């Protein structure tokens, strides 16, 4: 029972569970129990499609129950500690410690301290080697597992890549081994060796790492002969037939994306050199139009949502985007269901798409030119044509759109002052283009993010710009833009710095993450909570200079994440990297 805890906490309804379409499986009658968690607020976690997919898949397995958990807000954390109570699952409010497995979806490095907070509140030792048979296994999946090393101390295993099929194999195997494991007839090491036979499963404690005198990794090798030396990222073999959560859950409280999210494709046909998502979801797979319309029908019928969003890395590249949007618009316009699309390619809008979407909802359109000049877009291999863009936005303004959102990166390789000025000029042109259509300029929201050269991208050897240089570039944009219709939104450069360090980090960072957690770091992705000071103190106390993780690296070094095979060849990454420095 958690009712008494709810009286004094912010948004208590977020902790209730029991939402429309939530699973009602009986915890005590299932031989295997899995708690699936998202280490951020409920409103963020329930907006995550991956979480809903894995939840549905696990609950479809006979004999396995899956319940959810999310990060508690500070007041709930304090209430649990005051009452000496343990953290619980959302469905039946079981203590998390009673589950066989706790699975975390790791979507952002800035959620790492929340993972530790949840483990602590659940009553688990934080370090994996201190958890014996009495405790749940702690496993991780999601985008951050493209470099799981900074969290290696805390997790028993990771699933690398898409977990839909791997999690079923893992749970089937666990179900067979559970009795022996819980009765101590099977040691934890032996259990983990068995589980590592599932392709895509990485057990950090079973690998040996060697470093040179300066702390650089020089060897990464399996500690047992049955283990693979490289972990192959999992991908769903038949995406068209892949599970989709048609019984769409409807939260009681407003979530960040309060709508049905329909994944229409996975992977991206483009090859932007800064993009980690491309390696994460490689190769490109397409869901058929007929299947998408059918899934939309089912999810709408099950939830009654009034908004449907098409999701994918580059939705504008969907082969039949115009007919898909037309079919969905025609089908749902009677029910007043809005259709929304994420960032688009101008090419996609040159057909009838903007007019079709505007029929139901005239929200802003989002584009990601990424750089202010064509020269720099070429360095990034960004497929973006200014000519198509200006044609497309003219159509969009004619169809009734009022404003645009543009995404740009700064701190790019070979970035020059004219590239920064190019951002202002480009946005100004986009604003003025509306004046030609209906006499008034458009408001342009410009999001500026520092480039984080992430693992498994051609820029992974590139240095990340220093905080001082990013600040200087932000100041340039602020001071050189006098147009009040251009609204800049700058990503917090200290958060960007930390994300850069954690995403490019190694196992030594475990003690820094633990140190920051002990100092009270939580919700590091939220500016209200984020404390750069706590992190800097944790780095200093651990004797680790964070800057070393952001420096340029020679392509010959062994990177902490090189043991992961994403399917994107390292030779290809090197070739592409060389193109960015040859100019
Ligand atoms: S940045 Fe976008 S378009 Fe480019 S590769 Fe990544 S997902 Fe594709």
């Amino acid at each position: 029972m958690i009712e008494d805890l709810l009286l004094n906490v912010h948004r208590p309804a977020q902790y209730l569970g029991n939402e429309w379409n939530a699973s009602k499986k009986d915890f005590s009658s299932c031989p295997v129990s899995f708690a699936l968690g998202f280490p951020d607020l409920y409103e963020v976690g329930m907006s995550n499609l991956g979480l809903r997919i894995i939840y549905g898949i696990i609950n479809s397995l006979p004999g396995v129950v899956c319940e959810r958990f999310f990060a508690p807000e500070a007041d709930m954390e304090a209430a649990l500690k005051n009452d000496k109570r343990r953290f619980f699952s959302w469905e039946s409010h079981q203590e998390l410690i009673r589950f066989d497995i706790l699975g975390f979806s790791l979507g952002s490095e800035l959620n790492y301290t929340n993972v530790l907070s949840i483990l602590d509140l659940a009553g688990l030792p934080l370090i994996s080697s201190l958890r014996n048979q009495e405790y749940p296994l702690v496993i991780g999946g999601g985008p951050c597992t493209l470099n799981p090393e900074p969290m290696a101390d805390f997790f028993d295993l990771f699933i690398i890549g898409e977990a839909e099929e791997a999690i079923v194999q893992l749970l089937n195997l666990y179900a067979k081994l559970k009795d022996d494991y819980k009765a101590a007839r099977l040691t934890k090491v032996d259990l983990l060796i068995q589980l590592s036979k599932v392709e895509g499963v990485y057990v950090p404690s079973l690998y040996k790492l060697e470093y040179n005198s300066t702390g650089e990794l020089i060897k990464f090798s399996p500690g047992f002969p049955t283990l693979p030396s490289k972990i192959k990222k999992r991908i769903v073999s038949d995406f068209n037939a892949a599970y989709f959560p048609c019984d769409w859950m409807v939260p009681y409280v407003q979530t960040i994306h309060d709508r049905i999210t329909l994944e229409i494709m996975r992977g991206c046909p483009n090859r932007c050199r800064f993009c980690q998502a491309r390696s994460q979801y490689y190769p490109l797979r397409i869901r058929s139009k007929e299947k998408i319309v059918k899934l939309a029908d089912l999810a709408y019928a099950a939830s009654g949502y009034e908004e449907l969003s098409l999701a994918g890395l580059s939705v504008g590249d969907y082969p039949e985007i115009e007919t898909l949007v037309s079919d969905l618009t025609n089908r749902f316009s009677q029910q007043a269901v809005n259709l929304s699309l994420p960032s688009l390619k101008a090419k996609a809008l040159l057909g009838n798409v903007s007019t079709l979407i505007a029929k139901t909802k005239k929200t802003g359109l989002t584009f990601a030119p990424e750089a202010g000049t064509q020269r720099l877009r070429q360095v990034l291999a960004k497929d973006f044509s200014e000519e198509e863009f200006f044609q497309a936005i003219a159509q969009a303004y004619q169809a009734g759109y009022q404003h645009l959102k543009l995404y740009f990166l700064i701190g790019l390789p070979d970035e020059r002052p004219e590239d920064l000025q190019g951002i202002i000029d480009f946005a100004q042109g986009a604003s003025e283009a509306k004046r030609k259509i209906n006499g008034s300029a458009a408001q342009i929201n410009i999001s500026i993010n520092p480039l984080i050269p992430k693992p498994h991208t051609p820029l992974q050897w590139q240095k990340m710009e220093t905080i001082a240089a990013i600040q200087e570039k932000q100041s340039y944009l602020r001071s050189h833009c006098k147009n009040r219709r251009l609204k800049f939104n700058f990503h917090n450069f200290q958060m960007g710095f930390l994300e850069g360090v954690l995403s490019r980090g190694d196992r030594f960072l475990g003690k820094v993450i633990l140190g920051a957690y002990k100092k009270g770091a939580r919700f590091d992705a939220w500016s209200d909570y984020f404390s750069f000071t706590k992190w800097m103190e944790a780095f200093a106390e651990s004797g680790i200079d964070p800057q070393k993780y952001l420096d340029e690296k020679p392509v010959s070094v062994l990177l902490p994440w090189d043991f992961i095979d994403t399917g994107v060849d390292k030779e290809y990454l090197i070739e592409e990297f060389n193109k960015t420095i040859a100019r």
Side-chain angles (χ1 to χ4, degrees):
M1 299 298 277
I2 61 159
E3 283 75 2
D4 56 321
L5 287 170
L6 300 181
L7 293 173
N8 298 311
V9 297
H10 178 238
R11 294 232 287 179
Q14 66 179 308
Y15 301 101
L16 287 177
N18 201 29
E19 304 96 321
W20 183 256
N21 289 327
S23 166
K24 301 270 190 297
K25 261 184 156 176
D26 179 32
F27 179 85
S28 49
S29 61
C30 287
V32 175
S33 54
F34 190 101
L36 176 64
F38 196 91
D40 203 333
L41 294 179
Y42 174 86
E43 66 194 55
V44 183
M46 282 304 288
S47 304
N48 184 277
L49 178 60
L51 185 97
R52 288 172 178 260
I53 291 174
I54 299 302
Y55 177 73
I57 287 177
I58 300 178
N59 275 317
S60 71
L61 300 175
V64 187
V65 58
C66 179
E67 304 196 356
R68 291 160 298 150
F69 60 92
F70 302 90
E73 288 195 49
D75 52 9
M76 176 58 92
E77 180 181 346
L80 287 164
K81 283 181 174 163
N82 279 344
D83 284 9
K84 300 200 172 24
R85 306 259 290 268
R86 285 181 169 151
F87 198 35
F88 49 82
S89 67
W90 258 233
E91 275 71 6
S92 62
H93 299 145
Q94 299 292 329
E95 291 183 347
L96 292 181
I97 201 167
R98 295 191 58 209
F99 284 79
D100 291 314
I101 302 175
L102 304 188
F104 285 87
S105 170
L106 300 172
S108 163
E109 292 82 3
L110 300 184
N111 287 337
Y112 285 169
T113 52
N114 286 0
V115 171
L116 302 193
S117 153
I118 290 168
L119 292 178
D120 222 357
L121 288 171
L124 273 67
L126 301 182
I127 306 294
S128 64
S129 58
L130 301 178
R131 296 191 296 263
N132 60 18
Q133 275 98 337
E134 287 170 29
Y135 295 102
L137 285 181
V138 177
I139 78 173
C144 294
T145 60
L146 277 196
N147 177 20
E149 290 302 89
M151 290 297 275
D153 290 349
F154 312 111
F155 279 82
D156 296 312
L157 65 86
F158 296 98
I159 295 176
I160 312 291
E162 296 166 4
E164 284 109 316
E165 292 164 5
I167 194 70
V168 175
Q169 293 161 356
L170 189 86
L171 286 167
N172 285 340
L173 193 50
Y174 180 84
K176 285 188 196 141
L177 301 170
K178 177 180 169 178
D179 287 347
D180 282 346
Y181 176 56
K182 289 292 179 184
R185 291 187 293 271
L186 189 67
T187 65
K188 185 169 175 185
V189 170
D190 286 334
L191 174 83
L192 292 172
I193 290 174
Q194 292 295 325
L195 296 179
S196 69
K197 290 182 182 155
V198 174
E199 191 177 56
V201 166
Y202 167 54
V203 181
S205 59
L206 301 182
Y207 285 79
K208 292 190 289 192
L209 281 69
E210 290 171 33
Y211 301 90
N212 65 15
S213 56
T214 58
E216 301 299 329
L217 182 67
I218 50 169
K219 195 166 176 205
F220 178 96
S221 54
F224 295 87
T226 56
L227 300 176
S229 53
K230 277 214 159 204
I231 307 291
K232 204 162 173 225
K233 178 194 83 176
R234 289 298 295 260
I235 54 166
V236 167
S237 44
D238 182 355
F239 176 63
N240 201 42
Y243 174 86
F244 180 79
C246 292
D247 288 338
W248 196 260
M249 268 183 285
V250 184
Y252 292 132
V253 295
Q254 181 149 29
T255 53
I256 302 276
H257 300 307
D258 215 358
R259 61 197 181 204
I260 298 165
T261 305
L262 264 173
E263 193 184 19
I264 63 172
M265 60 200 285
R266 208 173 269 188
C268 180
N270 305 301
R271 294 168 171 229
C272 306
R273 294 189 178 118
F274 59 86
C275 178
Q276 191 186 44
R278 181 178 182 268
S279 302
Q280 173 82 31
Y281 297 104
Y282 177 86
L284 174 65
R285 288 145 294 159
I286 304 287
R287 191 166 257 155
S288 75
K289 188 163 62 67
E290 296 68 32
K291 185 75 188 246
I292 294 166
V293 173
K294 191 170 159 210
L295 296 177
D297 275 345
L298 291 171
Y300 172 71
S303 66
Y305 256 111
E306 289 158 359
E307 187 171 346
L308 225 157
S309 158
L310 302 186
L313 290 182
S314 181
V315 164
D317 284 305
Y318 184 82
E320 301 172 271
I321 187 72
E322 196 176 333
T323 38
L324 175 65
V325 170
S326 159
D327 286 1
L328 290 170
T329 311
N330 292 336
R331 200 168 195 92
F332 289 107
S333 55
Q334 292 266 307
Q335 291 99 323
V337 174
N338 289 319
L339 191 63
S340 61
L341 284 92
S343 169
L344 275 175
K345 263 188 151 174
K347 217 181 289 181
L349 284 176
L350 289 176
N352 216 2
V353 177
S354 60
T355 322
L356 286 166
I357 305 167
K359 263 190 192 172
T360 55
K361 195 179 186 185
K362 287 188 183 60
T363 50
L365 284 173
T366 304
F367 294 89
E370 311 290 6
T373 59
Q374 187 59 20
R375 181 194 64 81
L376 203 48
R377 282 195 285 275
Q378 274 166 6
V379 173
L380 299 178
K382 179 78 192 175
D383 175 20
F384 185 94
S385 148
E386 280 195 30
E387 199 191 331
E388 282 170 358
F389 170 79
F390 282 103
Q391 274 181 48
I393 60 164
Q395 280 184 8
Y397 290 142
Q398 259 152 6
Y401 283 93
Q402 297 299 315
H403 53 263
L404 299 181
K405 182 163 188 184
L406 301 176
Y407 281 95
F408 289 96
L409 293 166
I410 55 172
L412 297 169
D414 197 20
E415 189 172 63
R416 302 169 192 169
E418 60 264 32
D419 299 307
L420 297 177
Q421 185 59 42
I423 294 177
I424 299 171
D425 296 343
F426 187 94
Q428 201 143 294
S431 172
E432 285 302 314
K434 183 164 165 287
R435 200 186 293 282
K436 292 185 200 131
I437 307 289
N438 59 16
S440 67
Q443 184 183 309
I444 311 290
N445 294 319
I446 308 157
S447 175
I448 305 281
N449 294 288
L451 170 77
I452 301 176
K454 288 220 166 173
H456 302 285
T457 71
L459 297 185
Q460 63 180 354
W461 298 280
Q462 166 81 28
K463 73 175 169 61
M464 181 171 167
E465 199 83 280
T466 61
I467 286 185
I470 290 291
Q471 275 178 299
E472 208 175 291
K473 289 176 180 182
Q474 290 184 349
S475 309
Y476 178 97
L477 291 170
R478 268 194 202 99
S479 59
H480 284 72
C481 181
K482 307 288 177 215
N483 187 333
R484 290 169 60 191
R485 290 186 185 273
L486 308 188
K487 299 245 175 300
F488 280 97
N489 175 22
F490 294 99
H491 183 77
N492 181 312
F493 51 83
Q494 291 172 329
M495 282 184 193
F497 173 86
L498 181 61
E499 186 183 338
V501 173
L502 294 177
S503 66
R504 290 159 62 107
D506 54 21
R507 288 195 186 183
F508 291 114
L509 291 184
K511 59 184 171 185
V512 180
I513 297 167
L514 185 60
Y517 164 68
K518 286 187 173 162
K519 289 177 181 297
R522 308 279 189 282
F523 292 104
D524 297 302
W526 294 79
S527 46
D528 290 356
Y529 285 87
F530 178 65
S531 164
F532 195 55
T533 311
K534 288 189 175 103
W535 278 96
M536 288 304 106
E537 285 171 6
F539 277 110
E541 285 167 20
S542 306
I544 290 178
D545 175 11
Q547 187 58 43
K548 76 168 190 170
Y549 293 99
L550 304 181
D551 290 344
E552 190 172 328
K553 296 171 198 310
V555 292
S556 54
V557 297
L558 183 62
L559 298 167
W561 53 87
D562 271 348
F563 69 93
I564 292 175
D565 173 8
T566 64
V568 179
D569 204 37
K570 190 164 180 187
E571 295 311 309
Y572 163 78
L573 295 180
I574 294 175
E575 243 173 63
E576 289 294 296
F577 173 62
N578 287 337
K579 289 181 195 163
T580 70
I581 48 179
R583 283 160 196 278

